[in-house]
Amino acid sequence: MHEHGHDHSHEHDHDHDGFHRPRPASEAELRTRALEALLVEKGLVSTDAIDAVIDLYVNDVGPQNGAKVVARAWADPTFRERLLTDGSSAIHEMGYGGEEGHTMMVVANTPEVHNVIVCTLCSCYPWPVLGLPPTWYKSAPYRARVVAEPRAVLAEFGLELPAETEIRVWDSTAEVRYLVLPMRPEGTDGMSESELAGIVTRDSMIGTGVPLAPARA
Amino acid sequence: MDGVHDVGGMQGFGAATWPGAEDPTHADWELRAFVLALVTGPGSSHAFRHTIERLDPVRYLSSTYYERWLYEAEQALVESGAITHDEVAAWEARLAAGEEPPRRAEPERAAGLVRALRRRRPLEQADEPRFAVGERVRVRRQHPAGHTRCPRYLRGARGTIARVQGLDGVPDVDNAVIEPVYAVAFDSTELWGDDVERHLVHADLWERYLEPDNA
């Protein structure tokens, strides 16, 4: 198992624990290039397929998709109802779906309830609507702590919730993927759906943040 | 298995965010390792996750997310007999000596892969679930040697069925059996005692992880 284990010789200063920052990439980068070369040589993968899938997850899929879903839910009460009842179908209506997002459950924040999502067992995340997860979402501190002390964790993200707000944490332990529907901010009445999408942040759809304040007219 | 990957409720890991933690990736190789694992991986997500869970615990915790995907990609292909570690090491030496890696273009295969990743396969409805919404349940105590998606911090805890999510293959038997999956709500004091914040934790649990709460 240690044929290519790390020898912990570092080329650069290293002032964080391993999970806080990638180690100098040379070992993993070389191993990745070697594995790709071998698989291409054997005909098990093709170079353009790797490039196409990277393009999918870097350019097509990302929080801009989730933001459009949220904006439509804010603008259209019947869509909001469908989204909360059958998230998978409502999101698919908008053209989003696929790997790590086959079955979607959308949980709505209200003045009384704040939702936040996590995966304590690995790093399950709704790729079709949020893209690939931020590093903190995949790291031990968030995964370990948010199920036990969500209020303290949210405060570290700068989100201080009223004491009376009920926090609901959703641990993605099966194949259902979650999306938080944040509350529509005050002062957004005249905004179009695409303007609304512009104030929906990634973290507001994970539950570690809230939408941006609308720019004053 | 009750491995170090199952971190819910563990303490001592430090701050939840830090400079640089907002970015999904930090180097180009990470995306290539991610895609290699994604497109060559074993048939099921359960087998994929279990390969990572079998990592040496010290190495698991000291690896970054994409280092684990890289490990998974190679390990799963070695275990299936498609490649050997020595073959990868040989290519490392050739690349380090300046050899250009081979390239291969198969546009139809590339397009097919992207289509497959976009295909939608929602869970089927569970018509005859054993438990109903609102019913009180208890998570069975178990100590499984193989893969499971029942986190340690929920074992033995009492909760309430919040939603019937649908039918899905059981991870513990790599999809050989299909069962209902339930979203179960747990009060934080049931999980962590009286001296913690009050909140609800929901988790999606297969039917076999649950028993009626008769207490």
Side-chain angles (χ1 to χ4, degrees):
Chain A
M1 146 172 241
H2 290 287
E3 290 91 340
H4 59 286
H6 302 286
D7 64 9
H8 295 275
S9 64
H10 296 154
E11 296 167 4
H12 308 295
D13 288 337
H14 190 252
D15 56 0
H16 286 273
D17 293 330
F19 56 76
H20 275 186
R21 203 170 65 180
R23 269 180 287 273
S26 54
E27 293 168 33
E29 182 180 4
L30 181 61
R31 196 73 183 184
T32 303
R33 290 176 60 218
L35 183 61
E36 180 178 333
L38 177 64
L39 296 178
V40 168
E41 181 183 60
K42 284 180 178 274
L44 294 170
V45 298
S46 53
T47 316
D48 59 346
I50 298 171
D51 295 335
V53 177
I54 289 175
D55 184 60
L56 171 68
Y57 287 110
V58 169
N59 296 317
D60 279 8
V61 162
Q64 69 276 11
N65 295 356
K68 288 178 191 151
V69 174
V70 168
R72 180 156 304 173
W74 286 347
D76 178 349
T78 64
F79 179 78
R80 178 192 158 97
E81 188 63 35
R82 286 204 301 286
L83 186 66
L84 296 178
T85 311
D86 180 358
S88 313
S89 299
I91 287 169
H92 192 247
E93 255 176 57
M94 295 190 64
Y96 311 129
E99 202 63 23
E100 289 296 310
H102 293 298
T103 301
M104 291 291 309
M105 182 165 170
V106 181
V107 287
N109 288 347
T110 67
E112 293 79 33
V113 174
H114 181 89
N115 296 281
V116 58
I117 62 177
V118 66
C119 172
T120 63
L121 293 174
C122 46
S123 300
C124 296
Y125 191 73
W127 294 354
V129 282
L130 293 187
L132 299 179
T135 297
W136 56 260
Y137 184 88
K138 301 173 286 196
S139 301
Y142 179 76
R143 291 168 48 206
R145 292 175 55 207
V146 79
V147 289
E149 45 172 352
R151 207 171 276 277
V153 169
L154 297 184
E156 290 176 24
F157 284 90
L159 183 58
E160 306 268 2
L161 294 171
E164 61 275 17
T165 302
E166 178 186 300
I167 299 181
R168 295 182 187 167
V169 183
W170 299 85
D171 190 355
S172 316
T173 49
E175 296 308 314
V176 179
R177 296 290 169 268
Y178 290 88
L179 183 74
V180 175
L181 176 58
M183 282 190 288
R184 180 172 175 162
E186 301 280 332
T188 56
D189 284 355
M191 289 171 70
S192 69
E193 211 174 296
S194 70
E195 287 170 332
L196 289 170
I199 63 168
V200 180
T201 62
R202 177 195 66 200
D203 287 7
S204 74
M205 296 181 279
I206 302 174
T208 52
V210 290
L212 302 173
R216 297 206 176 268
Chain B
M1 66 184 273
D2 288 346
V4 74
H5 65 282
D6 181 2
V7 298
M10 286 173 75
Q11 293 166 312
F13 287 120
T17 189
W18 57 90
E22 294 299 320
D23 302 324
T25 59
H26 297 87
D28 289 344
W29 71 263
E30 295 180 318
L31 285 168
R32 299 200 84 76
F34 161 73
V35 174
L36 288 176
L38 192 64
V39 305
T40 65
S44 80
S45 55
H46 308 313
F48 171 89
R49 294 186 186 118
H50 194 47
T51 302
I52 290 180
E53 291 162 8
R54 285 183 284 121
L55 260 172
D56 173 83
V58 172
R59 184 161 165 207
Y60 178 96
L61 283 176
S62 60
S63 298
T64 63
Y65 180 74
Y66 290 110
E67 285 172 345
R68 286 179 215 140
W69 279 68
L70 171 61
Y71 167 82
E72 194 285 334
E74 179 172 338
Q75 188 65 23
L77 287 162
V78 167
E79 290 177 12
S80 75
I83 63 169
T84 67
H85 291 306
D86 287 346
E87 287 178 309
V88 187
W91 260 111
E92 277 189 315
R94 289 162 70 176
L95 293 171
E99 188 172 333
E100 282 296 311
R103 297 183 61 83
R104 176 191 295 269
E106 296 173 280
E108 286 189 18
R109 192 171 177 179
L113 262 176
V114 170
R115 271 198 307 277
L117 289 166
R118 286 177 169 282
R119 195 168 298 137
R120 175 172 169 265
R121 292 177 280 114
L123 297 184
E124 291 190 17
Q125 193 177 316
D127 290 327
E128 293 182 4
R130 178 182 177 190
F131 302 111
V133 170
E135 197 168 339
R136 295 284 294 166
V137 292
R138 187 180 179 115
V139 182
R140 289 180 191 275
R141 289 210 173 275
Q142 52 167 338
H143 189 57
H147 182 59
T148 188
R149 293 292 287 181
C150 183
R152 210 164 19 213
Y153 77 95
L154 298 176
R155 310 252 177 90
R158 294 182 169 91
T160 305
I161 302 287
R163 182 169 162 125
V164 183
Q165 298 285 24
L167 289 172
D168 202 3
V170 177
D172 308 58
V173 292
D174 200 12
N175 294 334
V177 180
I178 307 286
E179 282 183 7
V181 174
Y182 304 87
V184 185
F186 301 90
D187 195 287
S188 59
T189 56
E190 172 72 9
L191 303 175
W192 316 112
D194 293 331
D195 297 331
V196 296
E197 298 174 12
R198 292 300 301 273
H199 59 275
L200 284 178
V201 176
H202 291 75
D204 288 321
L205 300 172
W206 273 264
E207 194 164 88
R208 69 177 54 197
Y209 301 158
L210 304 171
E211 57 194 4
D213 177 23
N214 297 319

